[in-house]
Amino acid sequence: MTQTNRKPFVGGNWKMNTDAAAASSLIDAVIGSLNTDSVDVAVYPPFVYLREIAAKASGANILVGAQDCWHEGNGAFTGEISTDMLKDCSVSTVLTGHSERRHVIGESDELVNLKTKAAIAAGLIAVLCVGETLDQRDDGQTDAVNETQIRAGLAGVSKESLGLVVIAYEPVWAIGTGKTATPEDAQNAHRTIRELIASMYDQQASDAMRIIYGGSMKPGNASELMAMPDIDGGLIGGAALKAADFHAIIDAGVSQTA
Ligand code: 13P
């Protein structure tokens, strides 16, 4: 285990990839050789495949998650998916504020906060994604951007609810680009985020918070990233579409707990 017994969390964000057949064989392959309970493993398939993936995953030691949700209850919100619908599909976790939703779709900090609170209220694990763009990084704004997104994302979230929160630090410039933050740079950002959680809540909440890294994590760099004291796992995009790579990253998490 890590110094403070945080259980590693490794999520596979499939984004807008796969078709029904590919999603089905990918989950079969992921479940097939998964034999750990020392890491929380989650997959985030596209909405339309959730029900089938969850049926296959039931009984396996794997969480099934959604890539987004809407924050209101069922009603007139064309095109959106409620947390009740997600739970009806046996979903137990949801991503909020992924950088593609912030920067491509245009979600605001306020909307991300509403979604995060709705996920928590529904009993879902909210993986709140934060991170700076390349311009912001070059401007020395990494910590300030993370702070703004976390303070806004967690506004109104009580300390008692934090057990349902994971923070994913995903520098936008590292997502899908093959560029990874160095372990030291990522560790610095994670440590600053952990200090922020201590100042927003308290030391106990900070020690318990899982902060995971995302952005071109792959088998070749997962171990050195997860070996950092404040990096508690990963949120994986491209490498999660290959079961063997995803397994290798999960194994890197397992080895941190040995
Ligand atoms: P890549 O691993 O493809 O860089 O994607 C990371 C990500 O955005 C996970 O949510």
Side-chain angles (χ1 to χ4, degrees):
M1 283 284 162
T2 53
Q3 295 151 333
T4 46
N5 284 343
R6 291 185 294 270
K7 188 177 187 184
F9 187 105
V10 174
N13 175 9
W14 296 4
K15 307 193 179 184
M16 198 174 75
N17 290 300
T18 70
D19 56 18
S24 176
S25 42
L26 180 54
I27 193 63
D28 284 345
V30 169
I31 292 169
S33 42
L34 189 71
N35 66 348
T36 180
D37 55 11
S38 57
V39 172
D40 282 337
V41 176
V43 291
Y44 297 85
F47 283 129
V48 289
Y49 306 130
L50 279 172
R51 209 176 168 79
E52 184 189 346
I53 301 285
K56 286 189 172 242
S58 90
N61 207 357
I62 188 161
L63 305 169
V64 175
Q67 298 171 17
D68 185 30
C69 67
W70 190 243
H71 58 281
E72 305 266 10
N74 288 358
F77 300 99
T78 301
E80 296 297 338
I81 305 287
S82 69
T83 55
D84 278 348
M85 292 171 182
L86 295 180
K87 289 201 293 184
D88 195 32
C89 294
S90 304
V91 161
S92 56
T93 171
V94 62
L95 306 181
T96 60
H98 190 277
S99 80
E100 287 141 22
R101 300 220 51 93
R102 291 180 189 269
H103 297 293
V104 182
I105 316 288
E107 288 193 6
S108 65
D109 282 334
E110 292 68 32
L111 183 57
V112 173
N113 175 241
L114 291 171
K115 292 182 173 190
T116 304
K117 287 190 292 190
I120 293 168
L124 301 171
I125 297 170
V127 178
L128 171 63
C129 305
V130 302
E132 82 285 6
T133 63
L134 186 57
D135 282 351
Q136 290 167 330
R137 181 180 194 79
D138 289 345
D139 242 18
Q141 295 297 311
T142 298
D143 292 338
V145 169
N146 287 339
E147 175 165 356
T148 301
Q149 293 182 347
I150 290 170
R151 282 193 186 278
L154 294 181
V157 174
S158 69
K159 183 187 166 192
E160 292 64 41
S161 300
L162 289 181
L164 285 172
V165 175
V166 172
I167 294 175
Y169 168 58
E170 300 202 293
V172 180
W173 50 271
I175 296 177
T177 58
K179 294 183 192 145
T180 315
T182 64
E184 293 72 24
D185 280 350
Q187 164 59 20
N188 283 339
H190 282 233
R191 191 190 51 234
T192 307
I193 290 170
R194 197 172 303 289
E195 288 166 0
L196 173 65
I197 298 297
S199 77
M200 290 170 64
Y201 295 93
D202 60 21
Q203 193 58 44
Q204 186 193 26
S206 168
D207 288 343
M209 177 61 71
R210 288 181 294 183
I211 307 172
I212 65 176
Y213 171 82
S216 298
M217 192 185 266
K218 43 192 179 260
N221 60 24
S223 290
E224 53 178 8
L225 284 160
M226 289 191 217
M228 291 290 152
D230 290 298
I231 300 183
D232 306 313
L235 189 57
I236 325 301
L241 297 172
K242 295 187 202 124
D245 286 0
F246 191 52
H247 275 288
I249 296 169
I250 295 165
D251 288 345
V254 173
S255 64
Q256 300 302 320
T257 66

